[in-house]
Amino acid sequence: MAAFAEGAPCWVDASLPDVEAGKRFYGELFGWTFAEGAGAEYGHYTQAYSRGRNVAALAPKPDGRMPTVWGIYLYTTDAYACAQRIRAAGGQMVMDPMPVGPYGTAAMAADPGGAVFGLWQPGTHHGFDAQGEPYTYCWSEVYTRARDAVDVFYAKVFGYVPQDQDDAGVEYRIWSPPGTAPGTNTAVLGRSLITDAFPEAMPAHFLAYFAVPDCDQSVAMVQRLGGRVTADPFDTPYGRIAVVADNQGAVFGLLSEPRTKPDA
């Protein structure tokens, strides 16, 4: 069982129009296998496995008007208390905490900039069995236009310790759990800004990344499987990154080791 700090991403799932199509796409892209899916009382939620370990889930959208997205869940020991902190800090509850059978308690919230995220208080479902390995979740970022309000919000709700990473010419902040020294070795989440370089209509959002052995090869496979590329692969100090969408429109990031070594 993995241990998570309060506020650390502990689970991801994709809300899709067609779960069977999603199983084919991610089965080919990441080599995932899938459970048969829970019953109607659990929304036909389908667990995904990498080498037999629980790493994500796919869920059918209950309403076609809902977005096709990868959702990120932040760990909490008490979803009800966390919901109170969210409201007090200027956020909104999209869905109040709700028990999900014996598996845990879920909630959905929006920060002051409008980015939506989940809360997960574990029961028998503890979250990722594996992360940071090839074909598993490895990182998340929140993209916002409300920098100051969002920075204060997450500090109040989760006690994140910030460190700014502005050496690449782009304002970027990483957050570490309370009680840890801030930095890349302890960070659990990043915060970036939606600048004029992005489409004007882009909403605030969370972006989940999955680790892959070769970013460029995975991008090519996304395209072969009917997905699209929203940001071509590029090297950063932290790895080679691309942003893609699956064949139903759910956007996610890919991260591998950089192809080029940074200058000394």
Side-chain angles (χ1 to χ4, degrees):
M1 180 183 73
F4 300 96
E6 184 81 12
C10 66
W11 191 243
V12 291
D13 60 21
S15 296
L16 302 173
D18 186 340
V19 167
E20 290 302 315
K23 289 164 67 174
R24 291 190 294 271
F25 181 92
Y26 291 102
E28 287 286 333
L29 181 63
F30 292 147
W32 288 351
T33 57
F34 299 91
E36 289 192 9
E41 67 271 31
Y42 298 116
H44 301 286
Y45 202 74
T46 300
Q47 304 286 337
Y49 300 89
S50 177
R51 297 196 298 170
R53 296 163 305 168
N54 207 4
V55 295
L58 309 181
K61 295 196 300 184
D63 186 330
R65 295 169 296 182
M66 296 176 65
T68 300
V69 295
W70 274 99
I72 294 168
Y73 294 80
L74 306 181
Y75 174 87
T76 182
T77 58
D78 188 332
Y80 298 92
C82 191
Q84 291 182 336
R85 296 198 303 272
I86 286 168
R87 292 189 182 97
Q92 296 182 330
M93 295 307 299
V94 177
M95 182 188 80
D96 287 328
M98 178 182 68
V100 185
Y103 304 110
T105 299
M108 299 296 293
D111 68 25
V116 175
F117 61 94
L119 300 175
W120 184 249
Q121 176 186 334
T124 59
H125 190 296
H126 300 287
F128 299 122
D129 286 339
Q131 60 176 312
E133 302 176 9
Y135 309 121
T136 70
Y137 165 89
C138 63
W139 184 243
S140 298
E141 295 166 342
V142 57
Y143 283 77
T144 187
R145 293 181 174 87
R147 175 191 58 195
D148 295 341
V150 162
D151 286 350
V152 171
F153 171 82
Y154 287 101
K156 287 183 176 179
V157 174
F158 295 113
Y160 291 151
V161 183
Q163 185 181 82
D164 291 325
Q165 307 280 310
D166 299 339
D167 52 349
V170 177
E171 184 176 326
Y172 188 78
R173 173 169 284 193
I174 56 176
W175 287 317
S176 298
T180 63
T184 55
N185 291 332
T186 58
V188 295
L189 196 64
R191 188 270 291 147
S192 194
L193 299 182
I194 302 175
T195 66
D196 293 340
F198 292 91
E200 186 176 347
M202 176 180 283
H205 63 281
F206 276 76
L207 177 65
Y209 287 83
F210 296 93
V212 292
D214 187 306
C215 185
D216 295 72
Q217 288 184 4
S218 291
V219 165
M221 182 170 287
V222 165
Q223 293 174 305
R224 287 198 299 272
L225 294 171
R228 58 186 173 85
V229 180
T230 66
D232 289 322
F234 62 98
D235 286 332
T236 75
Y238 314 106
R240 189 162 176 81
I241 289 172
V243 181
V244 298
D246 68 20
N247 58 348
Q248 300 182 67
V251 175
F252 58 98
L254 298 169
L255 176 64
S256 69
E257 293 295 322
R259 282 197 164 186
T260 59
K261 298 293 184 181
D263 293 336

